[in-house]
Every structure is written in structure tokens, then in C-alpha cells.
């Protein structure tokens, strides 16, 4: 029977598909680390209290990239180039979601609006990351090879999501509610389309590597389209709601090292 767990198991059991999976994940985390590092360096003077938290977010993302690369190294594998159609971060940027890399490469202070856009975009993408890592922990939290890695990353993603909720609520109370809600909605609707496209691309590459028959590939594609239809109709609301998290000041401490990796 085809299940999410059996699908993931098949991917991680094969060296070539595992190599692509970890390479895609490591690349995305490294990009996130760079983005957050640049944003932390360019925070406007009136919002400097956020800089250490944004830097901590970036340090966590860098750590996750190192963890995925370490998982490859444990198997004697090297990272492989990431196909452009699986590059989630790049495809989001092309849709105008988040802060453009060209802006982040310049040594010019960001505006307050830029930081609100960044936090709103992060709230959406961190929801996706938290949901995905929660699924991996559910299926592989006790896995001898992956368990410790996915549990560590899952805890960090929960912190990132809590931080986004708390900071956006603070900015909402400061009078930025209309911009926040508009940006959240735009980001969520764009993200679910990009996620669908990336999911289809990843499954296509995995199917080629693992030799899936056309019928199986068609079933998986139909499932991805069904998820997108649900998210387009109603599921996106989960990505835009704001509530005070149980974890307060989740990024107010230094990043936990990943010595085991």
C-alpha cells in the first residue's frame, strides 16, 4: 500500500534518491541561512532589537544545511547539483515573495516595511517547514540514521514559527495589521502554488531514479494536485492566522550546536 511513510522509506533506502533529497534540503537551508544573515546585518535602526533573533534564525538554517550534508557524508555520498525546478527558495523569489536577493546583496539598510514583509513571508514558509518536519518526526523520529537529525531540526522549526507569530503580533498591535494580513495572504497563496510545483518536480526526479511505473507516478501527482486544491480553497488560512505561541522569546538564546553531526 502506498503511504507517505512508505514513500519516504523508499527514498531514504536508495543512495541516489537519498543523495538528491538531502542535497535539495541542504541547499534550501543554506539559502535561508544566507538570507537571514543578510537581513540581520541590514535591520533598520528602529528595529535593532530583532537583529540577534534574525541572526539566530540564520544560524539555525546554516546548521540544518550542515546536518543534511553530514547525513550524506555518513553514507559516503557527496551533495549533487539541485535541479532548478526543485529550488523552492528561488521559485518563491521569482514570484516576488519575500525580499529580493538583489536587495539583500546591497549594503543599504532595510526599511520597517521590508522587515514586516520578511516576517510575514517567514511565517508562511516556516509553517510549511514545521509541518514537514513534524511528519518526518512522526515516521522517522526513532530511525537510527535520521532520528536525531529530524528531531533537532523539528525543534528549531517550531522555534522559528513561534518567533514569527510573536513578532508579527507585536507589530500588529503597533498598527501594522493591514500590511501584515495582506502580505501573509499574498505569500500563502503564492507559496502553495510553488510548493505544488516543487513537489511535482521532486517526485518526477525521484520516480526517474527509483524507476516508478507511470501508474504510480500518476497517483502521486494526483495526490499532490488534490493537496493543492484543498490548500487553495481553505488550507491556506492555517498559514495566515496569528496566535500568541506557548514558546515565548523562542529565538532569544544562542543557537544549539549540532555536535553529533
Amino acid at each position: 500500500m502506498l503511504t507517505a511513510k512508505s514513500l519516504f522509506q523508499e527514498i531514504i533506502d536508495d543512495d541516489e534518491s537519498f543523495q538528491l533529497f538531502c542535497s535539495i534540503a541542504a541547499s534550501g537551508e543554506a539559502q535561508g541561512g544566507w538570507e537571514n544573515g543578510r537581513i540581520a546585518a541590514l535591520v533598520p535602526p528602529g528595529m535593532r532589537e530583532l537583529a540577534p533573533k534574525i541572526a539566530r534564525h540564520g544560524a539555525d538554517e546554516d546548521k540544518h544545511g550542515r546536518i543534511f550534508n553530514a547525513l550524506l557524508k555518513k553514507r559516503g555520498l557527496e551533495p549533487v547539483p539541485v535541479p532548478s525546478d526543485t529550488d523552492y527558495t528561488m521559485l518563491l523569489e521569482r514570484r516576488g515573495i519575500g525580499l529580493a536577493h538583489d536587495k539583500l546583496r546591497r549594503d543599504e539598510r532595510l526599511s520597517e516595511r521590508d522587515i514586516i514583509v520578511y516576517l510575514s513571508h517567514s511565517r508562511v514558509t516556516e509553517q510549511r517547514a514545521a509541518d514537514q518536519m513534524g511528519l518526518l518526526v512522526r515516521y522517522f523520529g526513532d530511525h537510527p540514521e535520521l532520528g536525531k537529525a529530524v528531531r533537532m531540526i523539528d525543534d528549531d522549526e517550531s522555534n522559528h514559527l513561534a518567533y514569527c507569530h510573536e513578532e508579527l503580533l507585536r507589530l500588529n498591535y503597533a498598527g501594522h495589521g493591514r500590511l501584515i494580513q495582506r502580505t501573509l495572504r499574498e505569500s500563502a497563496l503564492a507559496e502553495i502554488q510553488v510548493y505544488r510545483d516543487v513537489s511535482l518536480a521532486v517526485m518526477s526526479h525521484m520516480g526517474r531514479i527509483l524507476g516508478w511505473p507511470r501508474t504510480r507516478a500518476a497517483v502521486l501527482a494526483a495526490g499532490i494536485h488534490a493537496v493543492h486544491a484543498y490548500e487553495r480553497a481553505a488550507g491556506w488560512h492555517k498559514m495566515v492566522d496569528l496566535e500568541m505561541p506557548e514558546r515565548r522569546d523562542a529565538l532569544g538564546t544562542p543557537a544549539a550546536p549540532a555536535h553529533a553531526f
Side-chain angles (χ1 to χ4, degrees), residues 45-246:
M47 305 179 83
R48 292 303 298 170
E49 74 282 357
L50 280 176
K53 297 179 181 182
I54 299 172
R56 158 74 189 276
H57 189 174
D60 284 344
E61 303 287 4
D62 283 335
K63 178 180 71 177
H64 300 167
R66 293 195 302 274
I67 289 173
F68 283 113
N69 282 324
L71 290 173
L72 287 175
K73 187 176 181 181
K74 282 185 176 181
R75 284 206 194 178
L77 302 171
E78 294 292 331
V80 295
V82 174
S84 60
D85 56 357
T86 68
D87 194 329
Y88 174 80
T89 303
M90 179 191 71
L91 293 172
L92 281 173
E93 184 186 4
R94 286 181 180 175
R95 293 291 301 268
I97 301 303
L99 300 180
H101 285 187
D102 285 346
K103 175 177 282 193
L104 296 181
R105 291 189 184 97
R106 297 195 295 265
D107 290 324
E108 299 175 6
R109 289 290 174 191
L110 299 172
S111 66
E112 186 177 67
R113 186 184 187 282
D114 288 331
I115 300 301
I116 293 171
V117 167
Y118 149 73
L119 286 169
S120 300
H121 167 246
S122 294
R123 186 265 177 270
V124 169
T125 55
E126 292 300 334
Q127 182 70 61
R128 182 72 70 188
D131 289 348
Q132 288 182 320
M133 292 311 303
L135 193 66
L136 286 175
V137 168
R138 177 182 171 187
Y139 296 141
F140 299 107
D142 295 324
H143 191 277
E145 183 181 14
L146 301 180
K148 189 168 186 176
V150 297
R151 292 195 308 272
M152 180 178 291
I153 296 172
D154 176 65
D155 188 61
D156 287 342
E157 300 297 2
S158 295
N159 283 337
H160 300 167
L161 187 57
Y163 143 78
C164 290
H165 274 273
E166 186 172 1
E167 296 303 333
L168 284 171
L169 282 171
R170 182 178 61 80
L171 289 163
N172 178 66
Y173 298 144
H176 300 285
R178 188 169 297 178
L179 172 60
I180 290 169
Q181 284 303 315
R182 183 173 70 250
T183 308
L184 283 172
R185 185 177 188 278
E186 291 172 354
S187 297
L189 293 176
E191 193 279 342
I192 63 175
Q193 292 185 6
V194 169
Y195 181 70
R196 175 202 60 191
D197 294 345
V198 168
S199 297
L200 289 169
V202 170
M203 288 301 104
S204 176
H205 289 288
M206 294 300 177
R208 176 187 56 78
I209 292 169
L210 297 169
W212 289 341
R214 288 184 178 181
T215 52
R216 186 176 197 187
V219 168
L220 289 171
I224 292 168
H225 282 295
V227 169
H228 172 260
Y230 164 73
E231 291 188 336
R232 178 69 181 167
W236 63 272
H237 290 283
K238 179 182 180 181
M239 294 180 163
V240 303
D241 291 340
L242 294 175
E243 59 182 28
M244 190 57 70
E246 292 183 10

